[in-house]
Amino acid sequence: ELVEVLGRSTQLWLISTRQPELKPEHVTVIKDFFNSGRGVYIWGDNEPYYADANVLTKALFGVTMNGNVPGNQCVSARTGGTGPGFTNHFVMTGISKLYEGITIATIDLNAELTPVVFGSAGNLVTSSYDRNNKRALIDGGFTRLFCNWDTAGTERYVINAATWLVNFENDW
């Protein structure tokens, strides 16, 4: 069924829970989907709400998320290249402030991922992948989707993310 649904989709958004739900065959299907040039957004949150997020981020990018970092703040564009805030990335277009989430996870970084949002504590909350006609976002603050949704840029951020992940430049 997952193969059939993803065959009609341009992107997959996974919102993790504290219990692993993905089976190895699901991960294989999602990897094939991603490798075909379709977008993937992987959402986790504070421990333990990144069970499936970590299965998928490990399989696709060799990284995981971890921790319970207090958030509940808004961040703005990063200045000086360090500290809290967001970088100059398409998904941040038109956003002056972004709510980070309540208690958030920190994402490991590797050479393939690009930092997008650093939380108020300076931890990496959101990163992107944009290589070889493939795009993905990894996010450690899914509470942003339902807590304070109507404040600090979340609605615009979600629209920007969905638009970017379509990856219309790729002829998949």
mmCIF file of all heavy atoms in Angstrom, residues 33-61:
data_model
loop_
_atom_site.group_PDB
_atom_site.id
_atom_site.type_symbol
_atom_site.label_atom_id
_atom_site.label_comp_id
_atom_site.label_asym_id
_atom_site.label_seq_id
_atom_site.Cartn_x
_atom_site.Cartn_y
_atom_site.Cartn_z
ATOM 1 N N PHE A 33 11.774 5.983 -2.885
ATOM 2 C CA PHE A 33 10.996 7.191 -3.160
ATOM 3 C C PHE A 33 11.918 8.410 -3.157
ATOM 4 O O PHE A 33 11.936 9.208 -4.101
ATOM 5 C CB PHE A 33 9.903 7.314 -2.088
ATOM 6 C CG PHE A 33 9.073 8.561 -2.158
ATOM 7 C CD1 PHE A 33 8.004 8.660 -3.033
ATOM 8 C CD2 PHE A 33 9.327 9.637 -1.313
ATOM 9 C CE1 PHE A 33 7.225 9.799 -3.087
ATOM 10 C CE2 PHE A 33 8.551 10.775 -1.350
ATOM 11 C CZ PHE A 33 7.503 10.862 -2.240
ATOM 12 N N PHE A 34 12.718 8.554 -2.114
ATOM 13 C CA PHE A 34 13.652 9.668 -1.980
ATOM 14 C C PHE A 34 14.681 9.648 -3.113
ATOM 15 O O PHE A 34 14.949 10.682 -3.739
ATOM 16 C CB PHE A 34 14.337 9.615 -0.615
ATOM 17 C CG PHE A 34 15.396 10.648 -0.425
ATOM 18 C CD1 PHE A 34 15.065 11.993 -0.332
ATOM 19 C CD2 PHE A 34 16.727 10.290 -0.334
ATOM 20 C CE1 PHE A 34 16.043 12.957 -0.151
ATOM 21 C CE2 PHE A 34 17.712 11.247 -0.153
ATOM 22 C CZ PHE A 34 17.369 12.587 -0.062
ATOM 23 N N ASN A 35 15.238 8.486 -3.396
ATOM 24 C CA ASN A 35 16.260 8.379 -4.445
ATOM 25 C C ASN A 35 15.712 8.639 -5.839
ATOM 26 O O ASN A 35 16.474 8.916 -6.761
ATOM 27 C CB ASN A 35 16.946 7.009 -4.372
ATOM 28 C CG ASN A 35 17.881 6.921 -3.192
ATOM 29 O OD1 ASN A 35 18.468 7.914 -2.763
ATOM 30 N ND2 ASN A 35 18.008 5.724 -2.639
ATOM 31 N N SER A 36 14.382 8.607 -5.989
ATOM 32 C CA SER A 36 13.772 8.938 -7.275
ATOM 33 C C SER A 36 13.633 10.450 -7.462
ATOM 34 O O SER A 36 13.178 10.898 -8.501
ATOM 35 C CB SER A 36 12.406 8.267 -7.399
ATOM 36 O OG SER A 36 11.436 8.944 -6.614
ATOM 37 N N GLY A 37 13.997 11.231 -6.450
ATOM 38 C CA GLY A 37 13.952 12.680 -6.557
ATOM 39 C C GLY A 37 12.754 13.328 -5.885
ATOM 40 O O GLY A 37 12.537 14.526 -6.022
ATOM 41 N N ARG A 38 11.994 12.563 -5.156
ATOM 42 C CA ARG A 38 10.841 13.124 -4.447
ATOM 43 C C ARG A 38 11.267 13.554 -3.051
ATOM 44 O O ARG A 38 12.174 12.981 -2.459
ATOM 45 C CB ARG A 38 9.713 12.109 -4.414
ATOM 46 C CG ARG A 38 9.129 11.906 -5.819
ATOM 47 C CD ARG A 38 8.167 10.743 -5.848
ATOM 48 N NE ARG A 38 7.446 10.668 -7.096
ATOM 49 C CZ ARG A 38 7.853 9.995 -8.144
ATOM 50 N NH1 ARG A 38 9.000 9.363 -8.127
ATOM 51 N NH2 ARG A 38 7.123 9.947 -9.245
ATOM 52 N N GLY A 39 10.583 14.567 -2.522
ATOM 53 C CA GLY A 39 10.973 15.183 -1.264
ATOM 54 C C GLY A 39 10.541 14.398 -0.038
ATOM 55 O O GLY A 39 9.514 13.729 -0.032
ATOM 56 N N VAL A 40 11.347 14.530 1.021
ATOM 57 C CA VAL A 40 11.049 13.889 2.300
ATOM 58 C C VAL A 40 11.257 14.912 3.413
ATOM 59 O O VAL A 40 12.283 15.592 3.454
ATOM 60 C CB VAL A 40 11.950 12.656 2.539
ATOM 61 C CG1 VAL A 40 11.735 12.067 3.919
ATOM 62 C CG2 VAL A 40 11.716 11.600 1.467
ATOM 63 N N TYR A 41 10.258 15.019 4.301
ATOM 64 C CA TYR A 41 10.388 15.858 5.495
ATOM 65 C C TYR A 41 10.259 14.935 6.697
ATOM 66 O O TYR A 41 9.251 14.257 6.865
ATOM 67 C CB TYR A 41 9.291 16.928 5.542
ATOM 68 C CG TYR A 41 9.642 18.111 6.431
ATOM 69 C CD1 TYR A 41 9.413 19.405 6.018
ATOM 70 C CD2 TYR A 41 10.201 17.925 7.688
ATOM 71 C CE1 TYR A 41 9.735 20.493 6.818
ATOM 72 C CE2 TYR A 41 10.535 19.001 8.495
ATOM 73 C CZ TYR A 41 10.300 20.286 8.045
ATOM 74 O OH TYR A 41 10.621 21.356 8.837
ATOM 75 N N ILE A 42 11.292 14.892 7.514
ATOM 76 C CA ILE A 42 11.328 14.006 8.682
ATOM 77 C C ILE A 42 11.239 14.862 9.939
ATOM 78 O O ILE A 42 12.132 15.661 10.220
ATOM 79 C CB ILE A 42 12.616 13.164 8.687
ATOM 80 C CG1 ILE A 42 12.730 12.369 7.387
ATOM 81 C CG2 ILE A 42 12.641 12.243 9.917
ATOM 82 C CD1 ILE A 42 14.095 11.750 7.154
ATOM 83 N N TRP A 43 10.143 14.695 10.679
ATOM 84 C CA TRP A 43 9.899 15.457 11.903
ATOM 85 C C TRP A 43 10.069 14.563 13.127
ATOM 86 O O TRP A 43 9.510 13.480 13.200
ATOM 87 C CB TRP A 43 8.466 15.979 11.939
ATOM 88 C CG TRP A 43 8.116 17.038 10.961
ATOM 89 C CD1 TRP A 43 7.661 16.854 9.691
ATOM 90 C CD2 TRP A 43 8.153 18.452 11.170
ATOM 91 N NE1 TRP A 43 7.410 18.068 9.101
ATOM 92 C CE2 TRP A 43 7.706 19.069 9.990
ATOM 93 C CE3 TRP A 43 8.521 19.251 12.255
ATOM 94 C CZ2 TRP A 43 7.614 20.454 9.846
ATOM 95 C CZ3 TRP A 43 8.429 20.628 12.118
ATOM 96 C CH2 TRP A 43 7.985 21.215 10.930
ATOM 97 N N GLY A 44 10.811 15.054 14.104
ATOM 98 C CA GLY A 44 10.911 14.445 15.421
ATOM 99 C C GLY A 44 10.707 15.539 16.448
ATOM 100 O O GLY A 44 10.358 16.669 16.116
ATOM 101 N N ASP A 45 10.936 15.222 17.682
ATOM 102 C CA ASP A 45 10.845 16.207 18.755
ATOM 103 C C ASP A 45 11.700 15.705 19.908
ATOM 104 O O ASP A 45 12.544 14.840 19.725
ATOM 105 C CB ASP A 45 9.383 16.432 19.164
ATOM 106 C CG ASP A 45 9.144 17.831 19.721
ATOM 107 O OD1 ASP A 45 8.946 18.752 18.905
ATOM 108 O OD2 ASP A 45 9.181 18.010 20.941
ATOM 109 N N ASN A 46 11.453 16.227 21.101
ATOM 110 C CA ASN A 46 12.260 15.830 22.243
ATOM 111 C C ASN A 46 12.163 14.327 22.502
ATOM 112 O O ASN A 46 11.228 13.657 22.082
ATOM 113 C CB ASN A 46 11.851 16.616 23.486
ATOM 114 C CG ASN A 46 10.422 16.339 23.892
ATOM 115 O OD1 ASN A 46 9.489 16.836 23.277
ATOM 116 N ND2 ASN A 46 10.235 15.535 24.928
ATOM 117 N N GLU A 47 13.183 13.813 23.204
ATOM 118 C CA GLU A 47 13.212 12.399 23.563
ATOM 119 C C GLU A 47 11.931 12.022 24.286
ATOM 120 O O GLU A 47 11.511 12.752 25.161
ATOM 121 C CB GLU A 47 14.418 12.135 24.458
ATOM 122 C CG GLU A 47 14.606 10.692 24.797
ATOM 123 C CD GLU A 47 15.817 10.473 25.715
ATOM 124 O OE1 GLU A 47 16.448 11.453 26.149
ATOM 125 O OE2 GLU A 47 16.096 9.324 25.997
ATOM 126 N N PRO A 48 11.269 10.957 23.914
ATOM 127 C CA PRO A 48 11.608 9.888 22.973
ATOM 128 C C PRO A 48 10.902 10.020 21.623
ATOM 129 O O PRO A 48 10.790 9.051 20.887
ATOM 130 C CB PRO A 48 11.097 8.647 23.703
ATOM 131 C CG PRO A 48 9.821 9.140 24.347
ATOM 132 C CD PRO A 48 10.127 10.577 24.755
ATOM 133 N N TYR A 49 10.430 11.206 21.272
ATOM 134 C CA TYR A 49 9.576 11.389 20.092
ATOM 135 C C TYR A 49 10.350 11.504 18.782
ATOM 136 O O TYR A 49 10.022 12.317 17.928
ATOM 137 C CB TYR A 49 8.670 12.605 20.293
ATOM 138 C CG TYR A 49 7.687 12.382 21.409
ATOM 139 C CD1 TYR A 49 7.942 12.868 22.679
ATOM 140 C CD2 TYR A 49 6.532 11.644 21.200
ATOM 141 C CE1 TYR A 49 7.042 12.641 23.718
ATOM 142 C CE2 TYR A 49 5.632 11.403 22.229
ATOM 143 C CZ TYR A 49 5.909 11.902 23.488
ATOM 144 O OH TYR A 49 5.036 11.661 24.503
ATOM 145 N N TYR A 50 11.381 10.690 18.655
ATOM 146 C CA TYR A 50 12.125 10.646 17.398
ATOM 147 C C TYR A 50 12.463 9.202 16.999
ATOM 148 O O TYR A 50 13.410 8.958 16.267
ATOM 149 C CB TYR A 50 13.388 11.500 17.450
ATOM 150 C CG TYR A 50 14.226 11.402 18.704
ATOM 151 C CD1 TYR A 50 14.870 10.229 19.061
ATOM 152 C CD2 TYR A 50 14.375 12.502 19.537
ATOM 153 C CE1 TYR A 50 15.647 10.153 20.202
ATOM 154 C CE2 TYR A 50 15.148 12.440 20.675
ATOM 155 C CZ TYR A 50 15.790 11.262 21.006
ATOM 156 O OH TYR A 50 16.561 11.182 22.144
ATOM 157 N N ALA A 51 11.661 8.261 17.446
ATOM 158 C CA ALA A 51 11.943 6.845 17.180
ATOM 159 C C ALA A 51 12.050 6.566 15.676
ATOM 160 O O ALA A 51 13.104 6.116 15.192
ATOM 161 C CB ALA A 51 10.879 5.966 17.822
ATOM 162 N N ASP A 52 11.003 6.800 14.921
ATOM 163 C CA ASP A 52 11.045 6.547 13.476
ATOM 164 C C ASP A 52 11.843 7.608 12.733
ATOM 165 O O ASP A 52 12.435 7.313 11.692
ATOM 166 C CB ASP A 52 9.631 6.450 12.900
ATOM 167 C CG ASP A 52 9.006 5.079 13.144
ATOM 168 O OD1 ASP A 52 9.749 4.083 13.255
ATOM 169 O OD2 ASP A 52 7.771 5.005 13.212
ATOM 170 N N ALA A 53 11.874 8.809 13.256
ATOM 171 C CA ALA A 53 12.701 9.839 12.622
ATOM 172 C C ALA A 53 14.154 9.378 12.581
ATOM 173 O O ALA A 53 14.822 9.493 11.550
ATOM 174 C CB ALA A 53 12.577 11.167 13.377
ATOM 175 N N ASN A 54 14.629 8.813 13.675
ATOM 176 C CA ASN A 54 16.017 8.353 13.707
ATOM 177 C C ASN A 54 16.262 7.149 12.809
ATOM 178 O O ASN A 54 17.323 7.033 12.203
ATOM 179 C CB ASN A 54 16.448 8.050 15.138
ATOM 180 C CG ASN A 54 16.864 9.311 15.879
ATOM 181 O OD1 ASN A 54 17.037 10.363 15.276
ATOM 182 N ND2 ASN A 54 17.020 9.197 17.175
ATOM 183 N N VAL A 55 15.289 6.266 12.702
ATOM 184 C CA VAL A 55 15.436 5.125 11.784
ATOM 185 C C VAL A 55 15.636 5.654 10.366
ATOM 186 O O VAL A 55 16.536 5.217 9.640
ATOM 187 C CB VAL A 55 14.199 4.198 11.862
ATOM 188 C CG1 VAL A 55 14.194 3.188 10.720
ATOM 189 C CG2 VAL A 55 14.138 3.498 13.216
ATOM 190 N N LEU A 56 14.823 6.616 9.979
ATOM 191 C CA LEU A 56 14.873 7.136 8.615
ATOM 192 C C LEU A 56 16.078 8.045 8.375
ATOM 193 O O LEU A 56 16.747 7.933 7.334
ATOM 194 C CB LEU A 56 13.570 7.873 8.305
ATOM 195 C CG LEU A 56 13.152 7.950 6.858
ATOM 196 C CD1 LEU A 56 13.245 6.614 6.141
ATOM 197 C CD2 LEU A 56 11.744 8.509 6.767
ATOM 198 N N THR A 57 16.395 8.940 9.306
ATOM 199 C CA THR A 57 17.555 9.819 9.108
ATOM 200 C C THR A 57 18.854 9.017 9.085
ATOM 201 O O THR A 57 19.766 9.337 8.331
ATOM 202 C CB THR A 57 17.643 10.929 10.167
ATOM 203 O OG1 THR A 57 17.699 10.353 11.471
ATOM 204 C CG2 THR A 57 16.482 11.890 10.059
ATOM 205 N N LYS A 58 18.921 7.974 9.879
ATOM 206 C CA LYS A 58 20.110 7.103 9.877
ATOM 207 C C LYS A 58 20.233 6.390 8.528
ATOM 208 O O LYS A 58 21.316 6.318 7.949
ATOM 209 C CB LYS A 58 20.008 6.098 11.018
ATOM 210 C CG LYS A 58 21.217 5.242 11.200
ATOM 211 C CD LYS A 58 22.293 5.999 11.907
ATOM 212 C CE LYS A 58 23.392 5.044 12.346
ATOM 213 N NZ LYS A 58 24.530 5.758 12.847
ATOM 214 N N ALA A 59 19.106 5.872 8.015
ATOM 215 C CA ALA A 59 19.121 5.145 6.741
ATOM 216 C C ALA A 59 19.450 6.053 5.554
ATOM 217 O O ALA A 59 20.161 5.644 4.640
ATOM 218 C CB ALA A 59 17.774 4.464 6.516
ATOM 219 N N LEU A 60 18.937 7.283 5.571
ATOM 220 C CA LEU A 60 19.127 8.184 4.426
ATOM 221 C C LEU A 60 20.404 9.012 4.502
ATOM 222 O O LEU A 60 21.031 9.280 3.475
ATOM 223 C CB LEU A 60 17.926 9.124 4.287
ATOM 224 C CG LEU A 60 16.587 8.490 3.938
ATOM 225 C CD1 LEU A 60 15.494 9.541 3.919
ATOM 226 C CD2 LEU A 60 16.653 7.765 2.600
ATOM 227 N N PHE A 61 20.770 9.444 5.718
ATOM 228 C CA PHE A 61 21.856 10.425 5.853
ATOM 229 C C PHE A 61 22.934 10.058 6.860
ATOM 230 O O PHE A 61 23.903 10.789 7.019
ATOM 231 C CB PHE A 61 21.278 11.799 6.230
ATOM 232 C CG PHE A 61 20.139 12.210 5.357
ATOM 233 C CD1 PHE A 61 18.846 12.215 5.847
ATOM 234 C CD2 PHE A 61 20.346 12.551 4.033
ATOM 235 C CE1 PHE A 61 17.775 12.568 5.034
ATOM 236 C CE2 PHE A 61 19.286 12.900 3.213
ATOM 237 C CZ PHE A 61 17.996 12.910 3.715
#
